[in-house]
Every structure is written in C-alpha cells, then in structure tokens.
Amino acid sequence: MAGKESAPGEPIVIKKYANRRLYNTQSSSYITLDDLAKMTRDGVDFEVKDAKTGDDITRSILTQIIMEAESGGAPMLPISFLRQIIGMYGNSMQAVMPTYLETAMQNFRENQAKWQDAAKNTPGGSLLAKMHETNMAMMRAATEAFIPGTGSKQKDPAPDQPATSDELSALREQMAAMQEKLDQLGK
C-alpha cells in the first residue's frame, strides 16, 4: 500500500494511535520517537495528529522527545532554565515567551553558522587557534612591557629588551583583524 504523498510545502502527517504507535502517512510505516527526532534534526516538517480525534498533538510529542533526550544521560537544558520556563506559565510574559524564544534560537543558529563559516575560512588553522595565538602574543607583549625579561625567549630577539614597535604594530594589526572578524560574526 503506497503512502499518501504530502503536497510540496505541507508537513508530513504522523498519526498517533491509542496503543502509542506512530504512523507516518507519507511512507505508510510505523515510526518511533527517535525517528521523529531525526526528522526534526534533518529539518523535515511534520505534524502529529491523534488518530481518533484528529487533534494536533505535535507540541506534546516534541516535548516528549525532549523529555526522553534529557533523561538519556546527556541533558542540555539547565535546571535553572527549566524552572524559569515553568515560572513563566500563567505569568503576563507567557504570551511573549514563544516569540522571544524562537527569535533567540534563530539568532543562535545564525551566529553558529557564521562562526562555523569564519572558522572554515580562517587560513592556517581554526579561528579559535588564531584567537589563542593572538591572545598569547598580546600577553607576552604586555608582560614584557611591564616586567622586562619575562617574555617568550622564542620570539624576542633580545631577552632583556621589551617588544619592538614593529612587534607591537604587528600585534595591533592582528587584533584589528580579529576584531573585524568578530564584528562580522555579530552581524
């Protein structure tokens, strides 16, 4: 028996039966909560309907997936966050929270993508490695400026002399470049 094809742009309909089984009407097969979690991670749009009443129960199924993931040994949601969410129910802010949380999560995803792109496009290593290298160079220069003779012996031409203006200029240029990359990530 062939499954009912969803029209383009329409979510796949999943039916939940009284025996707690989930049925994918598109593939004509029974699926699990793990399958729904994978579909969610893959960006597949679906809605879950109670097979008997036709009510949309997508929210409760997604919440159930989160509950199982949280109890599976690698929780992501801090207890303080969960308490704050519960505290918002019945609060005057309850109506605002869904939009706020959606916007915050969207911004997080966009920033994550920008960070990953910047890390991929940083020549000679990862963005974090470049930031670490710049921070260490600044620390060496600052330490050497305040306590002569304590800087790194590898990069200093004369251990008893402070960093040269050329070295400080190079550090300033590196910092400016890093600040520019961070500014781009924030946009």
Side-chain angles (χ1 to χ4, degrees):
M1 175 175 157
K4 175 189 161 230
E5 292 295 319
S6 296
E10 287 187 26
I12 296 171
V13 175
I14 308 296
K15 291 185 179 181
K16 182 178 184 224
Y17 289 93
N19 63 3
R20 298 176 41 136
R21 293 192 72 184
L22 299 164
Y23 185 76
N24 183 331
T25 60
Q26 184 180 41
S27 66
S28 298
S29 62
Y30 287 99
I31 60 173
T32 65
L33 286 177
D34 286 339
D35 294 324
L36 287 179
K38 183 177 181 336
M39 289 170 65
T40 301
R41 285 189 295 276
D42 292 343
V44 175
D45 192 17
F46 62 85
E47 62 181 35
V48 183
K49 296 196 179 262
D50 182 285
K52 185 175 182 179
T53 65
D55 292 343
D56 186 343
I57 57 172
T58 308
R59 181 181 314 275
S60 65
I61 294 298
L62 292 173
T63 304
Q64 186 177 353
I65 291 169
I66 291 170
M67 286 176 31
E68 287 193 10
E70 285 291 308
S71 65
M76 181 173 58
L77 301 173
I79 290 174
S80 61
F81 175 78
L82 294 172
R83 289 180 196 267
Q84 290 172 3
I85 292 291
I86 291 168
M88 291 291 177
Y89 283 95
N91 185 318
S92 62
M93 296 301 291
Q94 182 176 347
V96 178
M97 284 307 293
T99 304
Y100 172 78
L101 291 173
E102 279 184 296
T103 303
M105 186 57 77
Q106 182 63 34
N107 287 336
F108 176 81
R109 296 283 235 177
E110 288 172 5
N111 288 335
Q112 180 184 34
K114 289 176 185 177
W115 179 262
Q116 288 170 342
D117 287 345
K120 288 178 193 172
N121 295 326
T122 301
S126 74
L127 185 58
L128 286 176
K130 287 289 188 191
M131 288 174 64
H132 174 71
E133 181 181 307
T134 302
N135 287 340
M136 291 304 294
M138 285 179 48
M139 288 296 290
R140 280 193 300 270
T143 302
E144 183 64 30
F146 291 110
I147 309 169
T150 60
S152 171
K153 305 295 185 224
Q154 297 171 346
K155 292 200 172 193
D156 292 341
D160 294 331
Q161 295 180 0
T164 66
S165 62
D166 289 342
E167 290 171 330
L168 291 175
S169 294
L171 288 174
R172 285 187 187 108
E173 288 176 21
Q174 286 178 347
M175 280 304 294
M178 291 304 294
Q179 184 62 50
E180 185 177 330
K181 285 188 184 216
L182 289 172
D183 290 343
Q184 289 173 352
L185 287 174
K187 292 181 182 176

